[in-house]
Amino acid sequence: MEHHEQVSGLVEKIIFHNEQNGFAVFVIKQSKVTTTVRGFISQLQPGQQVILKGAWIKHPKFGKQFEAKEIAQQLPESIIGLKRYLGSGLIKGIGPKYAEKLVDFFGSNVLEVIDTQPDRLKLVPGIGAKRIDQIITAWQDQKEIANIMVFLQEKGVSTTYAVKIFKKYGQESRSVLLANPYKIADDIWGIGFKIADQIAHNIGIAKNSIKRVRAGILFVISEHVGNGNLYIQLAKLKEKTLLLLELEQNESDHLLKTAFHDLYNTDRIKLITQNDEHFLTLSQYYFSEKKVSAKIKELQEYPVTFSFSIDKIYQQLRNQTTSIQLNEDQQRAILSCMQNKITIITGGPGTGKTTLIKQLLGTLDEQKISYMLAAPTGRAAKRMNEGTGRFAQTIHRLLEFNVATFGFTKNEQNALKTDFLIIDEASMIDIFLALALLKALPHKAHIVFIGDIDQLPSVGAGNFLSDMIASNQVPCIRLTEIFRQAQDSMIIINAHRINNGELPIGPTDQSKKDFFFYKEQEPTQLFSHLKEFFTKKIHWHKFNKKDVMVLVPMNRGIVGVHQINDQLQELINPADNKKPFLSLRGSQLRLSDRVMQIKNNYDKNVFNGDIGYIIEVDTKEKKITVQFDNKPIIYESSELEELVLAYAISIHKSQGSEFPCVIVPLFMQHFMLLQRNLIYTALTRAKKLCILIGQTKALAIGIKNNKSVERKTFLKEFLTSDLQCR
């Protein structure tokens, strides 16, 4: 039987601390004896007094250690401990210099003074009023976080989440958790249903509580929407909820029925019946699609108010004598934009979408019609700007996102001041962004959606562009002719071959050598190919390492994003003793690493998919600074999980981006995700060079599979029928 005992001491040195899961290896000092400890603790600073409960173990490599099952923090009492604790940076405004001053002045009473008599701090020479305010605020925050940590630890939950919970709810944290612990799964990114359920269990909410069943149903619907759907079939919802909640079959029917009725009667969920099948969604998702449908109809019913001669514009386009020569489809597209309130223009690479936009803007300038240009991402907006020479911005900036209200300033009451709105990369727009755009559009305005419908659908929920096209209610012009100047690009030729279900071909003597397929049967050999490229071939093609992006079908596995990132980091930015780093999810974020933001952070104005470089690592404060497109952004330790390494990214995350050189591994390990629009999207991200590496079989299967994962939406039906929820 394992012997448990209690040990206490002062944290002397931190050997390793994983911020994500709280696992730490550190040294404590008891009198003159030092002990190495292993255990889980979220905040750890030298000088902290800790009480440990656990057992002594013999580590095969490092010898005798203490394995702590519980770690409780105590405020240090010794003078040395106080100086280290206060000097550790845990309390903002106090560093080693001020810690020394404070402890020398107040002795062992210093923490009591900060807590209960902060006015006395001004007695200490050299501490100004501004710093005193900073210390008081930081102490209160730190003290409250500590209380929440203790509360969570009592409930058997890792205190790693305490900072996040406190950041969201502040002083209300404890009362929110006690009232409804499931709320944190909805409100806080990174905390899922399982964590909330664990807290709920430990504060006494029964497994068969109706509150738990309701939360489970809502979670399953939200998770389904996370995969792009807006609705879930009733039978599937029941099955997934039972699996999640692990309920007994004999009581589940009654519980589910009661929970469904409660949610329906309080208008939390909506039900749609189609062909005798029942589909459910959250009310906000139903109303998003319904309102988008209503806005489209409303816009189309409002008459065209501009006075121009369509015949004259048509003749000008036909008799174009400038360097811009338009084909018939492009001419038809411009006329449609002028005559219709909503127009969709779709086409692959080399079919002249940018040329068309430039000519449309020229026509609008001639007619003295105002316009605005926008795209879903910063990089897409930048490309729009470079292609047209006109100002373009992100949709979020166009609509003036307000962090305080978490909504857009531009809406029905405060519409955009424009006659035309032109949106590029429209295939990336989810249903929620589509609604925000349409709400902000004045009735008289025209809107033009430009995109490539053969790419992957939006990362967010819904199938906005495809559903509009499928409804046949919105004019849509498809550009198919590849312009002569694009015909020597094997990237463009092969993109269209793939789109037609044909295998790509290699470069010919006459063609531009911008596409290669290196056959490799063995997935474990992928890194050898990458190593050869980054050490030799990159110089032949005259690229630098920042020009190259590896685009991967999936995240996990031996040829997944995570594994490739770890390998490329060691190749491109290896560790050394002088290079500072912070640990994250078992990996390191090092100075100079390329990283990607993986959630929208409106406070920082950085968004899911933004890519930057680490330009500073502060190992003491556990902060890093990332340079994104000329703007440096600072990340606190609790925010680091919003970042991942980005030497390789998933093809889904690459939407709306272009890179000078793209490398795409394709193996049967990616089988679950191999489909035509995925390979097509990856190929069309390359501006100058695309290299495929992998198995011909995997490539052929992907190209043959033209059945994209179907998303359950009802926008098409809302546009073409009077379908209603029940």
Side-chain angles (χ1 to χ4, degrees):
M1 186 177 164
E2 196 178 38
H3 176 63
H4 286 270
E5 58 183 280
Q6 183 168 304
V7 171
S8 63
L10 210 64
V11 178
E12 174 89 351
K13 180 185 174 188
I14 299 163
I15 298 168
F16 172 78
H17 190 204
N18 185 328
E19 295 284 342
Q20 181 66 16
N21 62 15
F23 178 71
V25 180
F26 57 97
V27 176
I28 63 165
K29 194 166 187 179
Q30 310 150 283
S31 301
K32 294 181 181 177
V33 180
T34 58
T35 300
T36 301
V37 179
R38 301 160 60 85
F40 289 84
I41 182 170
S42 67
Q43 279 197 332
L44 189 63
Q45 299 288 346
Q48 276 178 306
Q49 184 83 20
V50 289
I51 299 174
L52 318 167
K53 286 181 185 174
W56 292 97
I57 59 165
K58 192 159 185 181
H59 193 281
K61 189 174 178 184
F62 302 113
K64 189 180 178 186
Q65 294 184 344
F66 192 79
E67 188 162 54
K69 302 293 182 192
E70 292 178 33
I71 303 178
Q73 299 175 48
Q74 269 197 337
L75 296 177
E77 291 172 4
S78 72
I79 295 296
I80 295 171
L82 283 166
K83 284 183 178 177
R84 280 194 185 163
Y85 174 72
L86 288 173
S88 67
L90 190 64
I91 302 165
K92 282 182 181 168
I94 307 179
K97 179 179 149 193
Y98 287 102
E100 192 87 22
K101 284 186 176 185
L102 287 164
V103 177
D104 286 348
F105 196 89
F106 294 113
S108 58
N109 295 324
V110 64
L111 296 181
E112 191 184 339
V113 170
I114 294 170
D115 189 27
T116 61
Q117 301 168 294
D119 284 351
R120 289 181 63 197
L121 295 177
K122 60 188 174 194
L123 300 173
V124 182
I127 297 189
K130 193 175 176 184
R131 188 169 294 274
I132 290 170
D133 287 343
Q134 196 179 10
I135 291 168
I136 292 165
T137 304
W139 170 258
Q140 290 305 321
D141 284 355
Q142 195 264 334
K143 198 170 70 164
E144 190 60 36
I145 291 169
N147 289 338
I148 292 165
M149 284 178 181
V150 171
F151 170 74
L152 285 174
Q153 210 161 26
E154 283 171 358
K155 304 305 172 196
V157 177
S158 165
T159 54
T160 309
Y161 301 105
V163 175
K164 284 187 168 192
I165 291 169
F166 179 76
K167 220 171 183 181
K168 177 69 182 174
Y169 306 118
Q171 307 293 334
E172 305 296 314
S173 299
R174 193 188 304 243
S175 56
V176 166
L177 288 172
L178 288 170
N180 181 11
Y182 295 104
K183 187 171 168 55
I184 65 171
D186 293 334
D187 292 353
I188 301 174
W189 186 80
I191 296 184
F193 179 85
K194 290 287 184 188
I195 300 294
D197 201 33
Q198 192 181 351
I199 297 173
H201 172 72
N202 290 324
I203 63 175
I205 293 177
K207 196 174 181 181
N208 62 354
S209 158
I210 199 68
K211 183 188 284 188
R212 180 173 184 260
V213 179
R214 286 197 300 260
I217 291 168
L218 296 176
F219 173 75
V220 170
I221 295 174
S222 297
E223 195 174 42
H224 199 60
V225 168
N227 296 326
N229 299 282
L230 281 169
Y231 294 81
I232 182 169
Q233 197 180 15
L234 177 59
K236 190 185 275 190
L237 175 56
K238 284 181 176 178
E239 181 192 327
K240 284 177 172 280
T241 305
L242 289 176
L243 203 65
L244 176 76
L245 300 178
E246 298 171 343
L247 292 170
E248 297 294 330
Q249 191 64 46
N250 59 354
E251 63 176 350
S252 63
D253 285 347
H254 170 70
L255 282 170
L256 283 175
K257 198 172 181 181
T258 306
F260 279 130
H261 278 296
D262 288 354
L263 292 169
Y264 185 79
N265 292 334
T266 53
D267 210 26
R268 297 290 304 279
I269 60 173
K270 293 287 184 187
L271 173 73
I272 284 184
T273 302
Q274 184 188 44
N275 302 330
D276 296 326
E277 271 195 294
H278 302 302
F279 296 91
L280 284 103
T281 187
L282 302 188
S283 292
Q284 60 263 40
Y285 301 153
Y286 165 79
F287 283 119
S288 292
E289 263 202 330
K290 197 73 179 160
K291 284 175 187 171
V292 163
S293 164
K295 282 284 170 193
I296 289 169
K297 291 174 183 175
E298 199 178 288
L299 194 63
Q300 288 178 321
E301 284 164 9
Y302 198 88
V304 173
T305 56
F306 306 121
S307 55
F308 50 75
S309 167
I310 203 73
D311 289 336
K312 192 176 177 186
I313 291 172
Y314 176 63
Q315 288 308 320
Q316 284 175 333
L317 295 174
R318 295 285 291 177
N319 303 322
Q320 191 68 261
T321 54
T322 64
S323 58
I324 299 178
Q325 294 293 318
L326 303 184
N327 62 27
E328 285 194 14
D329 285 338
Q330 290 172 310
Q331 292 171 25
R332 211 156 47 84
I334 289 174
L335 295 174
S336 176
C337 294
M338 303 302 288
Q339 289 175 294
N340 298 293
K341 299 299 292 300
I342 308 178
T343 301
I344 297 167
I345 299 165
T346 179
T351 57
K353 295 193 297 293
T354 302
T355 303
L356 189 155
I357 299 172
K358 282 166 79 172
Q359 182 56 58
L360 173 61
L361 299 180
T363 301
L364 294 175
D365 284 336
E366 281 173 23
Q367 300 295 327
K368 296 186 170 47
I369 294 172
S370 67
Y371 51 81
M372 289 177 165
L373 278 62
T377 67
R379 279 165 297 174
K382 190 177 177 185
R383 283 213 322 276
M384 203 179 186
N385 165 254
E386 288 165 354
T388 63
R390 313 300 212 283
F391 174 70
Q393 59 193 315
T394 63
I395 296 171
H396 280 83
R397 186 160 288 175
L398 172 85
L399 301 179
E400 296 175 14
F401 187 83
N402 185 319
V403 178
T405 61
F406 219 73
F408 293 106
T409 304
K410 296 295 180 185
N411 51 35
E412 286 125 323
Q413 287 74 44
N414 181 26
L416 294 164
K417 291 178 173 57
T418 188
D419 298 325
F420 257 74
L421 182 56
I422 300 160
I423 305 293
D424 201 6
E425 294 287 357
S427 62
M428 295 180 68
I429 297 172
D430 63 28
I431 197 69
F432 312 117
L433 198 53
L435 178 58
L437 266 174
L438 293 168
K439 279 165 74 172
L441 198 67
H443 286 112
K444 64 166 187 170
H446 292 224
I447 189 164
V448 182
F449 292 105
I450 299 163
D452 187 344
I453 199 63
D454 297 312
Q455 286 183 30
L456 288 166
S458 60
V459 174
N463 217 355
F464 172 64
L465 197 64
S466 292
D467 285 347
M468 275 203 300
I469 294 170
S471 75
N472 287 320
Q473 299 299 302
V474 177
C476 176
I477 287 85
R478 184 158 191 154
L479 307 177
T480 54
E481 183 187 332
I482 307 174
F483 275 73
R484 186 174 49 78
Q485 59 268 36
Q487 286 176 6
D488 68 339
S489 165
M490 297 311 294
I491 292 173
I492 290 175
I493 286 171
N494 283 324
H496 289 274
R497 285 183 66 86
I498 287 168
N499 213 19
N500 293 328
E502 300 166 343
L503 281 168
I505 53 175
T508 63
D509 290 341
Q510 292 78 34
S511 69
K512 186 179 169 189
K513 291 177 172 53
D514 60 354
F515 174 88
F516 298 90
F517 177 33
Y518 296 115
K519 293 175 186 177
E520 175 55 70
Q521 290 302 314
E522 185 48 62
T524 54
Q525 288 301 306
L526 172 64
F527 184 63
S528 300
H529 288 273
L530 294 176
K531 189 173 182 180
E532 187 183 3
F533 182 85
F534 278 100
T535 52
K536 293 180 187 173
K537 292 181 180 175
I538 192 168
H539 306 299
W540 305 347
H541 292 289
K542 296 180 181 174
F543 290 123
N544 65 49
K545 287 168 184 171
K546 288 188 175 184
D547 293 329
V548 185
M549 180 59 81
V550 181
L551 298 182
V552 193
M554 62 200 299
N555 286 314
R556 303 197 180 280
I558 58 168
V559 277
V561 171
H562 303 324
Q563 175 90 335
I564 294 169
N565 262 322
D566 288 343
Q567 293 170 334
L568 287 179
Q569 184 190 38
E570 288 310 315
L571 180 67
I572 294 168
N573 191 28
D576 65 48
N577 293 333
K578 294 175 184 173
K579 194 176 290 172
F581 69 88
L582 292 179
S583 297
L584 180 69
R585 303 184 198 95
S587 298
Q588 292 181 358
L589 292 180
R590 299 172 188 156
L591 185 67
S592 303
D593 271 336
R594 182 163 72 190
V595 291
M596 180 173 67
Q597 174 80 13
I598 57 170
K599 69 164 286 215
N600 288 341
N601 188 321
Y602 297 102
D603 289 319
K604 294 184 184 299
N605 201 28
V606 285
F607 300 96
N608 192 350
D610 284 355
I611 291 170
Y613 287 85
I614 297 176
I615 56 170
E616 191 178 338
V617 178
D618 185 336
T619 52
K620 282 187 179 177
E621 293 278 344
K622 295 195 175 173
K623 292 179 185 177
I624 67 170
T625 305
V626 180
Q627 186 77 26
F628 291 103
D629 284 340
N630 304 320
K631 59 179 178 186
I633 303 290
I634 296 171
Y635 288 78
E636 306 279 341
S637 61
S638 62
E639 298 169 323
L640 292 181
E641 62 183 33
E642 295 181 17
L643 295 171
V644 292
L645 290 173
Y647 298 104
I649 63 174
S650 72
I651 296 168
H652 284 82
K653 290 282 188 189
S654 74
Q655 285 174 263
S657 301
E658 277 186 348
F659 308 97
C661 173
V662 159
I663 300 174
V664 187
L666 290 172
F667 291 90
M668 291 306 290
Q669 276 78 358
H670 302 135
F671 181 79
M672 292 294 290
L673 288 173
L674 291 177
Q675 57 194 51
R676 189 182 299 174
N677 61 0
L678 187 90
I679 298 170
Y680 175 80
T681 300
L683 183 61
T684 54
R685 301 309 90 208
K687 276 177 16 182
K688 295 179 181 175
L689 176 65
C690 179
I691 295 172
L692 301 188
I693 303 172
Q695 299 158 339
T696 308
K697 184 181 178 183
L699 177 60
I701 284 172
I703 291 170
K704 189 180 176 184
N705 178 15
N706 197 27
K707 292 179 181 173
S708 301
V709 179
E710 198 173 310
R711 295 181 167 191
K712 192 59 201 171
T713 63
F714 280 111
L715 180 59
K716 176 190 166 187
E717 287 77 4
F718 290 152
L719 286 167
T720 56
S721 70
D722 59 353
L723 181 69
Q724 299 289 333
C725 74
R726 278 173 41 197

